[in-house]
Amino acid sequence: MPKVRVAIIGLGSWGECHLEAFRSLPQVEVVAICDAREELVRQLGEAYSIPDVYTNADELLNRDDVDLVSVVTYEDSHYDPTMKALQSGKHVFVEKPVATNFRESTAMWQTAKEQGRLLVPGHVLRFDPQYAEAHHMLQSGRLGKPVSIYLRRARPRALFETYQRTHTVFELTVNDLDIAIWYAGSEVKSVKAYGRSVMGADVPDLVWACLEFANGALAVIENHWLTPNEANIMMADSVEVVAEQGIIGFEVQHAGLQTWSGQGRDTSALHIHLNRNGRVSGALKEELGYLCDCILSGEDPVQTSIGDAIQGIKVAEAIIESIRTGREIKL
Ligand SMILES: NC(=O)c1ccc[n+]([C@@H]2O[C@H](COP(=O)([O-])OP(=O)(O)OC[C@H]3O[C@@H](n4cnc5c(N)ncnc54)[C@H](O)[C@@H]3O)[C@@H](O)[C@H]2O)c1
């Protein structure tokens, strides 16, 4: 069976999930991993029996026996490894946000087109059955056109200690922007947004964004990092799409497994990535497996869209500008 030869750059908390997911796919061989943290990458290389480990991405990218590079570095450091991987003829899967500015994201796309390589954005929610089924239902036309999209993403305060390294719009909101653009099937025309820094950090921990699409649809996105840690609710996310002839939606926080014990409540997020005794499941495995199938068959990965992801980056910049100026921003 032909295999896709994969290398992963960035083996932090999400990069290790990539490693587990890729290793569980029969059509994939993970040939190399790279992280700037030497001890971490050596330990993971041993634990997962990866033949080659690197601390320098350039050395890895000099290899000509890699088909696909997965870039899972910090949010603002996707550009260098992605550009070098594309320029050396490799397909690239780049985690969200594709970049933290529009200029870098368009340069990456331009290079992918020039090189004839795939550049696929890591918007895993398109492979989450509930988000994907809502899109499928909207596409079927049974509910008519979407007119109002409400998306909410809320995370515990403790996570903000790490992720305030990036603007909330690039950490949380880009996920919802990709979904809103996918569901609306149209371009964003204008943005009015509000941000608050409740815990006093340099970047807002609470963001509201109102979007108007060229086809008339409206969207409201609510994101925050203000769920009390003690509530033990990892994801308090919601979706509601009002269409001309019906409404579709779900609440992630009520859909998962709950455990109430002497230690309090635990709400595990089982649908994105789960590894139980080496058996991996979830939307991330679906997403990476789909891409590798497309590479092997030569089909277009139409469930993903680098164009939508890059439009999301443009809208993210407009949201930040609207929060800063208090004005509506036309795109
Ligand atoms: N789609 C999702 O659901 C999801 C979930 C979590 C994180 N992410 C995204 O994944 C990316 C990584 O997030 P994380 O939480 O794993 O971060 P992290 O801080 O845990 O890990 C990042 C790793 O990248 C390494 N690194 C950074 N620059 C490097 C370079 N130039 N060369 C080699 N290694 C380098 C760091 O040493 C670190 O180990 C971010 O873009 C984040 O937004 C996506």
Side-chain angles (χ1 to χ4, degrees):
M1 175 187 182
K3 293 200 176 198
V4 179
R5 296 164 300 178
V6 169
I8 305 167
I9 302 177
L11 272 299
S13 55
W14 192 235
E16 188 174 351
C17 297
H18 275 234
L19 178 55
E20 288 181 349
F22 274 125
R23 287 244 305 131
S24 73
L25 291 164
Q27 72 276 42
V28 167
E29 184 188 355
V30 180
V31 294
I33 55 175
C34 170
D35 196 288
R37 292 188 282 169
E38 187 169 0
E39 201 185 320
L40 170 84
V41 74
R42 291 212 183 287
Q43 179 241 312
L44 288 173
E46 275 172 31
Y48 291 90
S49 309
I50 306 301
D52 294 307
V53 300
Y54 297 84
T55 53
N56 182 323
D58 291 355
E59 283 175 26
L60 184 158
L61 294 170
N62 280 335
R63 292 173 64 140
D64 55 12
D65 62 346
V66 173
D67 305 306
L68 171 68
V69 175
S70 202
V71 176
V72 204
T73 52
Y74 305 127
E75 295 73 12
D76 62 358
S77 59
H78 295 165
Y79 182 76
D80 260 18
T82 297
M83 288 296 270
K84 286 176 179 160
L86 290 169
Q87 282 157 351
S88 62
K90 294 153 180 77
H91 300 296
V92 175
F93 178 91
V94 58
E95 259 308 331
K96 49 71 38 178
V98 170
T100 50
N101 64 72
F102 184 61
R103 182 182 40 77
E104 283 187 357
S105 64
T106 49
M108 285 151 89
W109 195 14
Q110 183 58 32
T111 303
K113 284 191 259 189
E114 284 164 10
Q115 296 291 328
R117 300 286 92 183
L118 292 174
L119 174 63
V120 170
H123 282 299
V124 71
L125 298 178
R126 291 189 181 216
F127 295 84
D128 176 310
Q130 296 190 105
Y131 283 92
E133 192 57 21
H135 179 257
H136 178 72
M137 187 67 95
L138 292 166
Q139 285 290 102
S140 75
R142 279 176 50 199
L143 302 179
K145 291 190 189 126
V147 292
S148 169
I149 300 166
Y150 170 71
L151 301 166
R152 176 174 192 268
R153 185 164 309 279
R155 293 288 176 274
R157 289 169 181 240
L159 287 181
F160 192 55
E161 283 163 27
T162 299
Y163 290 110
Q164 63 181 272
R165 68 188 182 195
T166 305
H167 197 290
T168 294
V169 164
F170 288 117
E171 195 60 58
L172 294 183
T173 317
V174 284
N175 294 293
D176 299 303
L177 287 170
D178 185 65
I179 292 296
I181 292 165
W182 196 38
Y183 286 1
S186 176
E187 298 222 332
V188 176
K189 203 172 82 172
S190 72
V191 170
K192 177 78 176 81
Y194 306 85
R196 298 287 183 269
S197 182
V198 179
M199 293 185 281
D202 290 343
V203 296
D205 43 34
L206 168 65
V207 170
W208 276 84
C210 310
L211 316 178
E212 188 180 9
F213 287 87
N215 67 0
L218 301 173
V220 172
I221 297 175
E222 177 197 1
N223 298 137
H224 70 72
W225 300 96
L226 294 170
T227 307
N229 300 326
E230 298 73 16
N232 277 330
I233 298 200
M234 183 51 80
M235 297 182 177
D237 305 347
S238 308
V239 171
E240 185 178 89
V241 183
V242 180
E244 289 164 325
Q245 278 112 42
I247 295 177
I248 187 163
F250 53 89
E251 297 265 347
V252 170
Q253 87 191 68
H254 300 308
L257 180 71
Q258 298 227 356
T259 311
W260 300 354
S261 71
Q263 281 75 50
R265 174 173 47 181
D266 181 56
T267 55
S268 311
L270 305 176
H271 53 296
I272 300 291
H273 179 75
L274 186 68
N275 183 354
R276 287 288 170 267
N277 306 317
R279 305 288 303 181
V280 176
S281 61
L284 177 64
K285 180 179 176 180
E286 272 300 308
E287 180 182 35
L288 300 177
Y290 170 76
L291 170 58
C292 292
D293 286 345
C294 289
I295 289 172
L296 289 172
S297 68
E299 278 169 40
D300 250 7
V302 291
Q303 183 81 2
T304 69
S305 167
I306 185 66
D308 287 356
I310 290 176
Q311 196 200 149
I313 302 300
K314 190 176 177 186
V315 178
E317 285 188 337
I319 291 172
I320 293 173
E321 180 67 1
S322 179
I323 291 172
R324 192 181 65 79
T325 60
R327 298 219 305 264
E328 181 185 11
I329 308 294
K330 305 269 185 203
L331 288 121

